[in-house]
Amino acid sequence: MNETYRIITPSTLNRNQTGELLGMISVLLGGWFRIYPAFLAGFPVNDGGMFYTMIMDIQANHFWLPFYTSYNSLNIPFAYPPLAFYVGAIINSLFHVPPVEIVRWLPGVMNTFCLVAFYFLAREIMADNLFGGVSTFVYAMIPHMYEWPSMGGGLTRSFGMLFMILTVLCAYRLFKNENQKYFRLTVVFGSLAILSHPESIVYTLGVCVCVWLDKSRTFKGFRYGIYTSIWILLITMPWYGMIVYRHGVDVLVSAIQTGKHSLWSSMMLVNMDGITSEAYLDLLGVICVLGIAVLIVRKEYFIPLALIVIYMIGPRSAHTIGNIMLALGGGFFITEVILPSINNSKRGLIILLAITLPYLFINSAYQGYLIAQNHVGIPDRAAMRWVSQYTAVNRRFLILTGNTDAMCDSVSEWFPALTNRNSLVTVQGREWLLGGRFEEFIAKRVEIQQCINEDVECINQKIEYFAKDIDYIYISDKSTMFRCVPNTTISQTMPNVVKKLKLSPGYFLVYEQNDVFIFENRR
């Protein structure tokens, strides 16, 4: 690593101290941006409805692992890694924090801890505090990393990401130093990763193999890796053994088949706009990619290899996990290319900071504001309370919002959780039921959501895939989403299907408040 120039390191701080200070600042800034959307929303951002229900299912079952979750009345196997749900249930039982507030705040808090773990990982990889601090700043300011891990559904994503980073950190030290202490820590954090999120262990295993290839390539290191894997499997066996005993292997295979493995999904890496989620100029995305390129040129292959492996083994969430390696690449480019190019110039440093920092802060604040808009608003919560009070429990609802991205449709996911009614087109939880037909279900869901601007006949035709008949149609005329932020290019008017349903003799309007409409099927 190049020596830090005097203008970069003040006389009162050496290189290591500068890196530590920058790391602390990054954790504070990044932590704020990770809880900022939940603060603005006043409700869990985007998803998390199923996890809200699972927390209460555990409590209702006296902390024994339930066979099924009550979410959406589908008998969905309770096969999801349960660590985060137990933590949420314990917090509620001890401190009486409402489950909805746990789902709102805990993801952002755990995602902030990810920043601390990331700093130590970055510092370990390059054995340099400044690199660790700069990389953590890049990681803290990437908008996508305070979206998905901090949303309501980030309850499990944040836990899984934290323990994945800690496992890779300990594995890095294990293969580099071949020390028994890191063997035990790798086992502990690897076990917690398995119990946190279904995809975490896949990414963790892939990155740890890259660590072994980069730092060890010895039989002793290979033996450590095998022993570690065996111990992790033994420790977590009571959980996954119970799942297999109750539901069979098929339920796990079903979830694995929803990973979106294809050549095109692996090529998502070339689209920085979909990875870093920067609202305007993809400044951080470009810096990160240039850093990956420089690493390859300098024959530093671990970070680029790990990035490729992440996209190959799990394309579905690679656009989130991949940012870990991209941030390391961005930190490398800044410390090894940009800072040395300033060449001890105070004027150059001032210009660099004056241009980049305001953009990064404004970009992060604006993106946080946008994603905070994607939540179940007060009108929808009022309508859902009406549904829970005035409709029979066994009634089936078609939820129409016009949002074709199922992962960004907050109303659709939270409806079953807040009403205890069945939503025919809610996608969450079906990965444990549908297997290879999961993508087909999503495609059919897109088709029926497009009926919101069509006529009643469109609904009658498309609903046949989901059910023979429906009891109610719930229509929420809120802003449609694009990548989980409001799509401002589409003007909001009363959906055409609402006008048609009001004129249809087969449907009767039973609720209308603040652009939320509920029609009862009377045919």
Side-chain angles (χ1 to χ4, degrees):
M1 305 289 288
N2 291 332
E3 290 299 319
T4 310
Y5 297 88
R6 288 190 300 275
I7 189 63
I8 305 301
T9 304
S11 57
T12 56
L13 295 176
N14 59 32
R15 181 186 182 95
N16 288 336
Q17 291 170 332
T18 302
E20 291 171 355
L21 177 61
L22 184 56
M24 288 188 288
I25 293 173
S26 300
V27 170
L28 292 174
L29 283 174
W32 165 246
F33 285 124
R34 279 154 175 74
I35 64 173
Y36 171 62
F39 171 76
L40 291 180
F43 194 80
V45 176
N46 189 29
D47 53 359
M50 184 173 73
F51 298 161
Y52 162 84
T53 301
M54 286 177 153
I55 290 174
M56 294 191 293
D57 287 339
I58 287 175
Q59 290 179 304
N61 206 41
H62 307 290
F63 283 84
W64 289 101
L65 190 71
F67 272 73
Y68 301 96
T69 174
S70 60
Y71 180 76
N72 210 12
S73 305
L74 292 174
N75 280 338
I76 300 170
F78 207 113
Y80 210 100
L83 177 61
F85 310 139
Y86 274 100
V87 171
I90 290 170
I91 292 174
N92 173 258
S93 298
L94 292 180
F95 305 106
H96 307 291
V97 179
V100 71
E101 292 300 312
I102 293 171
V103 178
R104 177 186 174 190
W105 294 109
L106 188 56
V109 172
M110 296 303 297
N111 196 16
T112 301
F113 286 134
C114 290
L115 287 167
V116 180
F118 179 88
Y119 168 77
F120 287 104
L121 175 63
R123 188 181 70 174
E124 183 68 28
I125 288 174
M126 289 297 178
D128 180 66
N129 278 7
L130 184 63
F131 172 80
V134 172
S135 297
T136 305
F137 181 77
V138 173
Y139 182 72
M141 301 304 291
I142 291 177
H144 188 78
M145 299 315 291
Y146 51 81
E147 291 181 6
W148 285 101
S150 296
M151 292 176 174
L155 181 66
T156 58
R157 300 180 200 122
S158 58
F159 272 83
M161 187 175 298
L162 174 62
F163 293 123
M164 184 195 75
I165 294 173
L166 291 173
T167 304
V168 173
L169 169 62
C170 294
Y172 200 94
R173 291 175 175 174
L174 172 64
F175 289 130
K176 184 175 71 172
N177 304 319
E178 296 183 343
N179 187 306
Q180 188 75 16
K181 177 178 71 173
Y182 298 117
F183 165 74
R184 291 190 290 268
L185 288 173
T186 305
V187 169
V188 170
F189 291 129
S191 300
L192 292 173
I194 286 183
L195 296 173
S196 297
H197 194 276
E199 295 175 324
S200 293
I201 192 58
V202 179
Y203 293 120
T204 303
L205 179 61
V207 175
C208 286
V209 170
C210 296
V211 173
W212 178 80
L213 290 172
D214 181 66
K215 304 307 296 184
S216 179
R217 294 196 298 272
T218 66
F219 179 74
K220 185 177 181 180
F222 177 77
R223 189 174 60 195
Y224 266 124
I226 295 298
Y227 289 162
T228 300
S229 301
I230 291 174
W231 272 103
I232 290 174
L233 291 175
L234 288 174
I235 290 174
T236 55
M237 183 181 292
W239 169 69
Y240 67 76
M242 181 183 295
I243 299 303
V244 173
Y245 174 76
R246 289 177 171 180
H247 307 290
V249 179
D250 290 346
V251 68
L252 299 177
V253 174
S254 177
I256 292 172
Q257 291 178 329
T258 64
K260 295 186 177 180
H261 292 87
S262 68
L263 177 61
W264 171 247
S265 60
S266 299
M267 293 299 292
M268 287 173 58
L269 184 57
V270 302
N271 181 15
M272 280 296 105
D273 189 49
I275 298 174
T276 59
S277 298
E278 294 171 81
Y280 302 110
L281 177 68
D282 295 328
L283 177 62
L284 292 176
V286 171
I287 290 174
C288 292
V289 170
L290 291 174
I292 296 294
V294 173
L295 283 165
I296 295 173
V297 169
R298 297 191 182 182
K299 299 182 179 180
E300 298 278 355
Y301 295 123
F302 165 65
I303 295 173
L305 177 62
L307 178 63
I308 294 172
V309 167
I310 287 171
Y311 270 84
M312 291 181 63
I313 63 178
R316 180 180 177 182
S317 298
H319 64 300
T320 300
I321 305 300
N323 274 300
I324 296 173
M325 296 302 154
L326 284 170
L328 292 172
F332 184 83
F333 188 77
I334 293 172
T335 54
E336 292 296 291
V337 177
I338 295 179
L339 295 184
S341 69
I342 295 175
N343 196 24
N344 200 28
S345 168
K346 182 176 181 180
R347 177 175 177 273
L349 178 63
I350 292 174
I351 292 175
L352 175 67
L353 296 179
I355 293 175
T356 57
L357 290 184
Y359 166 78
L360 293 175
F361 291 141
I362 293 173
N363 186 60
S364 295
Y366 179 62
Q367 190 69 7
Y369 166 79
L370 287 179
I371 63 174
Q373 307 310 304
N374 187 13
H375 66 277
V376 180
I378 293 176
D380 278 293
R381 278 179 266 165
M384 292 178 194
R385 281 194 298 271
W386 184 91
V387 168
S388 65
Q389 292 173 3
Y390 297 106
T391 66
V393 174
N394 61 350
R395 293 299 182 253
R396 295 174 298 180
F397 282 74
L398 168 63
I399 311 298
L400 289 181
T401 63
N403 283 314
T404 55
D405 187 345
M407 302 304 172
C408 296
D409 193 342
S410 57
V411 171
S412 180
E413 175 166 358
W414 278 94
F415 179 87
L418 298 180
T419 64
N420 196 29
R421 303 297 187 271
N422 174 241
S423 167
L424 294 172
V425 297
T426 295
V427 71
Q428 283 74 19
R430 296 183 189 268
E431 63 268 35
W432 302 99
L433 300 172
L434 297 178
R437 295 183 292 114
F438 183 71
E439 294 299 325
E440 177 188 356
F441 182 91
I442 290 180
K444 294 295 183 181
R445 183 195 174 281
V446 170
E447 292 179 6
I448 200 166
Q449 288 300 320
Q450 293 171 340
C451 290
I452 198 168
N453 290 313
E454 301 295 333
D455 53 20
V456 180
E457 186 60 28
C458 177
I459 294 177
N460 294 335
Q461 291 178 358
K462 302 300 182 182
I463 197 61
E464 293 179 358
Y465 174 84
F466 302 95
K468 292 182 179 179
D469 208 350
I470 55 176
D471 299 304
Y472 292 91
I473 300 177
Y474 180 108
I475 301 174
S476 177
D477 187 24
K478 61 180 290 186
S479 298
T480 57
M481 298 290 154
F482 177 71
R483 292 177 181 168
C484 293
V485 300
N487 189 350
T488 57
T489 62
I490 298 179
S491 59
Q492 291 300 116
T493 58
M494 178 180 289
N496 188 60
V497 75
V498 171
K499 303 172 185 177
K500 300 294 184 180
L501 284 168
K502 287 183 175 181
L503 299 175
S504 174
Y507 293 92
F508 182 74
L509 181 66
V510 295
Y511 182 94
E512 179 181 1
Q513 288 289 336
N514 298 316
D515 296 327
V516 180
F517 309 89
I518 302 176
F519 292 88
E520 183 179 3
N521 184 1
R522 299 220 170 154
R523 290 183 297 176

